[in-house]
Amino acid sequence: MMEAVGSAQTLTDVSIELPGRQSGKVREAWPLSGGRRLLVTTDRLSAFDRVLGAVTHKGQVLNQLSAWWFGETSDIVANHVLSVPDPMALIAVDAKPLPIEVIVRSRLTGSTSTALLPRYLNGERELYGHLLPDGLKPHGPLGTILITPTTKALKGGHDEPISSDEIVARGLVDEILWAKVQAVALALFERGARIAADAGFLLADTKYEFGLDAEGELMLIDELHTPDSSRFWLVETLQRRLDEGLTPEGFDKEPVRLAFSAAGYTGDGTPPTLDPGVWQETSDRYVRLYEALTGLHFSPASLPAIERLTTNLAPYLGGEPTATTAV
Ligand SMILES: Nc1ncnc2c1ncn2[C@@H]1O[C@H](COP(=O)(O)OP(=O)(O)OP(=O)(O)O)[C@@H](O)[C@H]1O
Ligand SMILES: [Mg+2]
C-alpha cells in the first residue's frame, strides 16, 4: 500500500510498503533488488538545511530536469540513471556516496553561512583553500571557476566547508579519485554553463554528488543542474540589476532563501510564513527554467500523484499495491 501526504497540488510525503526507506530533505528513497534504488522527488523545498515548504510541480521539474541533464552529460561521466518510470520517480544505481558535496562556482554570491559572498564581505579572503583578491563585486565574476567542497552532514547537521587538502588528509576521498572528481566537476560545469547560456541563463554555481558503483567506479548521483542544486540567473536583466545594486533575478530557490532572510529567519526556530506569491512565483520559475533549458514543453503529471505513482511503480514493488490518498 502506498500513501501520500500533501495538498491537492503538492506531494510532500509518500510512503511505500518497502523496507529500508531513507528520507532526505527532498527525496524519499528505497533500496531495490539488484543493487538498484528507487528515488521519489517530492515537492518539498529545503533551505538553511531544513524543509520549509512545498512548491507545486517542483518534484516533477527536478526529476525530469535531472534526467535530461544526465543524458546531456553521459559522455563526461557515468551516472546513476537506470529509468524514469514516473515524472517524480527514478530508478537508479544504488551507489556508495562519497562523503562530500562538490560545489562549483563562477560568481561571488550566496546567502548562507557556507556561501562565499557573506564571508567575503566579512573580510575573509582565504576560502576553501583558495585566496580571493580584493575588489570583487557582489554577484560578480570570481575570475576563475572554483571548487568549494563541503562535508556531507548527517541528518539534522549542517554541511561544513572543507579544503582539498583536508579531504585527502582526512581520508574522505583518496588523492587520485579526488583529482578525477574535480576534473569531472569542472567539465560538467562548463557543459552546464554553456547550455544554460544558450537558454538565456547564467549558471552561477552548482552542487554535484558522486558515488562509487559496485565495481568501485565513479558515478554522478543525486540530482544534476536543477534549480535546487544550482543558481540560475536570467541574463537579460543581470547587468542592469547589478549596476543598480540589486540581486540577480534567480530562477532557482535563492528567492525563497532571500525571502526567509528578509523576514529575519536565519535557519533556527520556527520559520516565518511567507507571502503565498513567493511560493507561486517559485513554481512558475522552476517550470520556466525547465522549458528554457530542455526546449521541451512541461506537461504537469496527472493527479492525484499517489494514484499515478502506484500504477507506475507497481512493476518495481512486487505484488499489487493498492492506492490510498491521504491528505
Ligand atoms: N544513486 C544513489 N545512491 C545512493 N545514494 C544516493 C543516490 N542518489 C542520491 N543519493 C542520496 O540520496 C539523498 C537524496 O535525498 P535529498 O536530496 O532529499 O537529501 P538531502 O541532500 O538531505 O537534501 P538537500 O538536497 O536539500 O540537501 C542524498 O543523501 C543523496 O546523497
Ligand atoms: Mg539533496
Side-chain angles (χ1 to χ4, degrees):
M1 189 176 75
M2 247 189 229
E3 281 187 86
V5 177
S7 70
Q9 298 297 319
T10 58
L11 183 77
T12 52
D13 194 16
V14 50
S15 61
I16 293 173
E17 279 196 359
L18 274 179
R21 155 163 147 153
Q22 289 168 18
S23 299
K25 287 182 287 281
V26 175
R27 295 175 181 76
E28 298 294 326
W30 293 264
L32 298 176
S33 62
R36 299 171 307 162
R37 183 181 187 90
L38 165 63
L39 282 156
V40 175
T41 306
T42 70
D43 293 318
R44 299 193 294 258
L45 182 138
S46 77
F48 306 98
D49 279 332
R50 50 186 290 190
V51 177
L52 295 173
V55 175
T56 308
H57 303 315
K58 179 173 177 285
Q60 182 181 350
V61 165
L62 259 57
N63 193 53
Q64 294 186 329
L65 184 57
S66 279
W68 183 84
W69 278 114
F70 282 123
E72 290 294 311
T73 56
S74 58
D75 59 312
I76 297 173
V77 63
N79 63 63
H80 69 163
V81 177
L82 294 172
S83 64
V84 184
D86 179 273
M88 294 173 87
L90 176 72
I91 306 297
V93 175
D94 193 12
K96 185 168 173 278
L98 300 185
I100 46 157
E101 305 205 339
V102 183
I103 295 129
V104 183
R105 308 172 187 266
S106 66
R107 293 271 166 156
L108 183 70
T109 192
S111 53
T112 62
S113 59
T114 53
L116 295 188
L117 181 57
R119 297 177 60 190
Y120 187 88
L121 292 177
N122 214 15
E124 285 184 66
R125 289 295 176 268
E126 201 193 323
L127 294 158
Y128 296 85
H130 304 284
L131 194 62
L132 297 186
D134 285 334
L136 296 181
K137 299 211 170 62
H139 317 292
L142 287 165
T144 171
I145 309 291
L146 292 188
I147 298 182
T148 61
T150 65
T151 57
K152 227 171 116 48
L154 298 173
K155 205 168 178 158
H158 292 287
D159 300 340
E160 300 293 341
I162 186 168
S163 67
S164 282
D165 289 348
E166 280 176 280
I167 289 173
V168 174
R170 282 206 226 160
L172 298 177
V173 183
D174 81 50
E175 199 168 358
I176 292 168
L177 183 59
W178 178 237
K180 183 169 179 189
V181 166
Q182 292 182 87
V184 166
L186 291 175
L188 289 170
F189 191 81
E190 196 187 322
R191 176 78 50 89
R194 181 174 55 70
I195 291 175
D198 289 345
F201 290 94
L202 186 143
L203 177 63
D205 50 43
T206 194
K207 178 205 72 174
Y208 302 116
E209 291 190 36
F210 293 89
L212 302 177
D213 70 9
E215 278 73 49
E217 293 296 326
L218 183 69
M219 63 168 39
L220 190 58
I221 64 168
D222 203 49
E223 61 184 327
L224 183 56
H225 298 156
T226 69
D228 263 25
S229 66
S230 322
R231 287 192 177 85
F232 286 101
W233 296 344
L234 192 65
V235 172
E236 206 185 313
T237 59
L238 182 60
Q239 197 53 53
R240 180 176 53 76
R241 290 182 64 93
L242 294 189
D243 290 347
E244 290 172 6
L246 300 172
T247 54
E249 205 173 330
F251 277 60
D252 48 57
K253 71 178 179 181
E254 183 73 355
V256 181
R257 282 197 204 100
L258 292 173
F260 275 107
S261 294
Y265 188 64
T266 54
D268 298 309
T270 312
T273 306
L274 296 187
D275 182 331
V278 174
W279 299 103
Q280 184 55 48
E281 183 69 22
T282 305
S283 174
D284 294 347
R285 286 178 182 217
Y286 271 48
V287 169
R288 249 180 86 187
L289 181 74
Y290 170 87
E291 293 194 328
L293 290 172
T294 64
L296 300 169
H297 171 68
F298 178 80
S299 14
S302 67
L303 295 171
I306 193 60
E307 287 178 15
R308 194 194 68 236
L309 280 161
T310 300
T311 306
N312 289 336
L313 297 180
Y316 300 93
L317 306 181
E320 282 292 310
T322 36
T324 45
T325 308
V327 178

